Amino acid sequence: MVENGKTVTVHYTGTLDDGSVFDSSEGKDPLKFVVGEGKVIKGFDDAVKEMNVGEEKDIHIPCKEAYGEQKADLIKKVPSEQLPKEQKPEVGMVLGVGLPNGQQIPARIVEVADSEVTIDLNHPLAGKDLNFKLKVEAVE
């Protein structure tokens, strides 16, 4: 049985409420993680607890237990001259934004105007409820 501190191996398919698949382990190695360490979203971590090897489960995770709500303060306007010159900015394009500590985070372009571009630094799944089909393959 899966419990905190145990390593679990899980096959999964993640879908949005409209049925579109956003991630899946199908055709790949299953996901392996230590339960309770916070390496996966809370709702996913909680869902595998008390499952047994071979057990399957369908779960629904509200956005607050997944990637949280969309945060308006993470949508920023940036002068166009601060963007890389080699590409013309387009809505939907993802840019790497450098943080002071050297880390890069993805920013999605949501609007392009003459002199500025609006970028969204929210996680792409923020504000979305998630559904998963889970199957526990192993527990160590």
Side-chain angles (χ1 to χ4, degrees), residues 61-72:
I61 303 174
C63 70
K64 68 179 185 277
E65 292 178 25
Y67 294 96
E69 297 287 347
Q70 281 264 338
K71 296 179 181 161

Side-chain angles (χ1 to χ4, degrees), residues 21-68:
V21 175
F22 64 84
D23 195 13
S24 177
S25 64
E26 191 173 319
K28 301 186 275 188
D29 290 335
L31 176 64
K32 188 174 187 175
F33 65 97
V34 177
V35 177
E37 281 193 343
K39 301 289 185 198
V40 297
I41 57 174
K42 181 183 179 343
F44 194 100
D45 208 10
D46 290 345
V48 299
K49 291 178 187 169
E50 301 187 17
M51 288 180 72
N52 293 301
V53 173
E55 187 176 345
E56 294 185 34
K57 184 192 280 189
D58 291 327
I59 62 168
H60 176 81
I61 303 174
C63 70
K64 68 179 185 277
E65 292 178 25
Y67 294 96

